[in-house]
Amino acid sequence: MGTGSLLEEAFDAGEIGHPEVVVARTPWQLFWRRLKKDRFALASLGFIVLLILVAITAPLLVKALGLPAPNKLDTNALDEAGLPAGPSGSHPLGVDSLGRDVLARTIYGSRVALVVAFASTLIATVLGVSLGVLAGYYRGWVDTVVSRLLIDVLLSFPILMLAIGLSSACSFGDGCAGGLIQPGITTVIAVIALVTWTYPARLIRGQVLSMREKDFVDSARSIGASNFRIITRELLPNLVVPTIVYATLIIPSNVLFEAALSFLGVGVSPSTPSWGAMIGDAVNTFDTAWWYLLAPGLALVMTVLAFNLLGDGLSDALNPRSDD
Amino acid sequence: MARYIARRLLWVAVLLFLVSLVTFVIFYVFPTADPAQLRAGRHASPAQVEQIRHRMGLDKPLLVQFGNYLRDIFTKGDFGYSYVNEQPVKELILARVPATISVAVGASILWLFFGVLVGVISAVRRRSKLDRTAMGLALVGISAPEYWLGLVALYLFADDIGLIPLFGSANSYVPITSDPFQWFNSLILPWSVLAISFAAFYSRLLRGNLLEVMGEDYIRTARAKGLTERRVVLKHGLRSALTPIVTVFGMDLGLLLGGAVLIEVVFNIPGVGRQAYDAILRADLPMIQGTVLLGAFFIIFANLVVDIVYAFLDPRVRYE
């Protein structure tokens, strides 16, 4: 035990494997160890957690800050010409052209941003992973249908225009697909999911194409495992970490997507506070009412930046060879 | 090579067909709203709606409608008529193309130049303060929505409302043929804003590519021959690091030529993107459909060009 304690400590801290029993680290442990070293990614994770709390507690938070409700019109805050007032005691970030409190709307805006981004990313990921696995595993005509007929065709469209066309086509009458997709937030979620699932699908397909040739898949097949079993027990567990990484990388672009649709007026309904819609409203008054442009814009940039930094950190942790 | 191009052309034909089919489904089958009713407007009588339905051929079976729609597009180049002013969609769109080309081409020159410049410098000075700062700013550039950057740019620099009035404002676009100077001045801000968003992405992409390439054996060989570092990077490294950029560039340009919706809306430039936006506000479905379809055609064409250029650059592609 001459060299003892330091080494012992290192063992206990799990920094090196114990000499007698070499415990292999699971991919999860390796992943987390690498991620822990990325300060920006961790700070971003902190910011995102905070943002989620803000979104959940928005009504309480707005009340605690002594702000009016997001849709309350305060006509006293408009001057004689109908121009909104700037930051003041009762409205720390000013009001918009209808007299609604900008800070309260920015706080509530986190709800739409996060709900749409998470929901659309979840749908896009489930759809993308399922189709990607099927295409990569079965190849042949399944792959042709998924890669050529679905992905290539979808990628031939100007995505934003397709999305605004779809959202507007779904905003008339009873919505889309026989009323399954109603105008408003479900349209936005469905449209964004529909145009973004190709990204995880292509990546997962590539992974499965190379994974299906590996020994562990061969050995599963040699003991008579069914295709279903190979996919669910051998392939999918190995795809969990990359899937989380890809999903994290799509979230920021979906936040921007919702904001862009709402900015153009084909997103969530106008009374729902959304950062993109707020920026869209600001177009007419931003030359004087700069606060109305600044608050939702900064909220949007910071949120997207946080998700991008976290996504970068996660993909670096997944691919340690990327030498940045 | 001829076989490769023939195969690609065949696939383009299939894609055009499929894209038209999807567009038809989205705008005629998918919505529960009735196109005849939309066309007729809110105050039309049921008889008027029926008359319009008959005139538009909407009372025929869907398959016949789709056949007519394909025939009109591909044999007559007829994309239908705007609900708003009954003008042919194709002519309305073509009138807007020059403005969109002005936006796309000017911006693409800027972003290609700055994206490559920053990417190379960042890769060569890897992990330096300069690299970290540039890549940090690039990530902010990617995270900021371009329409917001556009409004901020107008607030700061537009010559009517800006704090520092330097460049043309929103609404100041004129065709190059009527006043080249004002044309240029009005496009400085939209070009810059678009270029920031794209250059941010390109610089990160190029930096990654270049770093990867610089680890290859042939770069070591070039260094071992005693070439200067400058020559190794610019002549040997950059050449292969740029190839993926060419692909992305072709596709981005194709996308933008179909209309830069957000930028055209913010700066009020009368391009195809602005037209699509106006069509949406007026529920003018044939117009939206026309812009989507034309945008898709641009992308498919850009892809074709990129693929053929690529096949010339890299013979392996042809035999895949």
Side-chain angles (χ1 to χ4, degrees), chain A residues 212-233:
Chain A
R212 75 191 297 285
E213 311 295 337
K214 294 255 168 75
D215 288 342
F216 70 93
V217 175
D218 276 344
S219 43
R221 197 172 288 129
S222 69
I223 58 169
S226 64
N227 285 334
F228 180 77
R229 198 189 157 84
I230 292 174
I231 288 175
T232 53
R233 292 295 172 82

Side-chain angles (χ1 to χ4, degrees), chain B residues 191-243:
Chain B
W191 282 341
S192 312
V193 169
L194 264 182
I196 287 175
S197 304
F198 281 95
F201 176 72
Y202 278 52
S203 61
R204 283 168 61 87
L205 184 66
L206 183 66
R207 176 182 179 276
N209 286 345
L210 195 54
L211 284 181
E212 204 169 295
V213 169
M214 294 306 280
E216 302 266 339
D217 287 345
Y218 76 92
I219 294 291
R220 202 181 47 196
T221 312
R223 285 205 176 110
K225 280 200 303 191
L227 295 183
T228 59
E229 188 61 22
R230 183 190 196 85
R231 217 177 145 78
V232 173
V233 172
L234 294 183
K235 196 103 196 195
H236 295 252
L238 195 56
R239 178 169 286 182
S240 59
L242 271 180
T243 328

Side-chain angles (χ1 to χ4, degrees), chain B residues 150-165:
Chain B
L151 291 170
V152 172
L154 282 173
Y155 183 75
L156 294 177
F157 303 118
D159 56 14
D160 53 354
I161 55 162
L163 297 180
I164 315 161

Side-chain angles (χ1 to χ4, degrees), chain A residues 148-149 152-162 164-166 168-170 172-179 181 194 256 258-261 263-266 276 279-280 282-283 286-288 290 293-298 300-301 304-306 308-309 312 323-324, chain B residues 11 14-15 18-20 22-23 26-27 30-33 38 126-127 132 136 139-140 142-145 147-148 151-152 154-155 161 204 207 211 251 255 258-262 265-266 272-273 276-277 280-281 283-285 288 291-293 295-297 299-300 303:
Chain A
R148 301 271 123 181
L149 292 189
D152 278 3
V153 169
L154 206 51
L155 289 181
S156 300
F157 279 102
I159 289 300
L160 182 65
M161 269 200 208
L162 180 70
I164 49 184
L166 257 174
S168 78
C170 292
F172 310 126
D174 227 358
C176 267
I181 301 169
L194 190 71
L256 285 178
E258 181 275 318
L261 290 178
F263 171 79
L264 292 172
V266 291
I279 297 175
V283 165
F286 74 98
D287 50 340
T288 49
W290 53 268
L293 184 60
L294 196 66
L298 283 183
L300 195 52
V301 174
V304 175
L305 186 61
N308 273 330
L309 282 169
D312 262 16
D323 185 18
D324 281 276
Chain B
W11 177 232
V14 176
L15 263 185
L18 291 172
V19 160
S20 316
V22 172
T23 317
I26 288 176
F27 291 102
F30 212 42
T32 50
L38 282 178
R126 173 155 67 130
R127 295 183 192 182
R132 296 264 186 242
L139 201 61
V140 176
I142 289 173
S143 305
Y147 48 92
W148 185 71
L151 291 170
V152 172
L154 282 173
Y155 183 75
I161 55 162
R204 283 168 61 87
R207 176 182 179 276
L211 284 181
M251 294 172 62
L255 180 66
V261 183
L262 295 163
V265 167
V266 166
V272 182
Y277 173 70
I280 284 160
L281 296 184
D284 190 352
L285 281 184
I288 308 176
T291 46
V292 169
L293 214 48
F297 290 176
I299 291 177
I300 292 172
N303 267 329

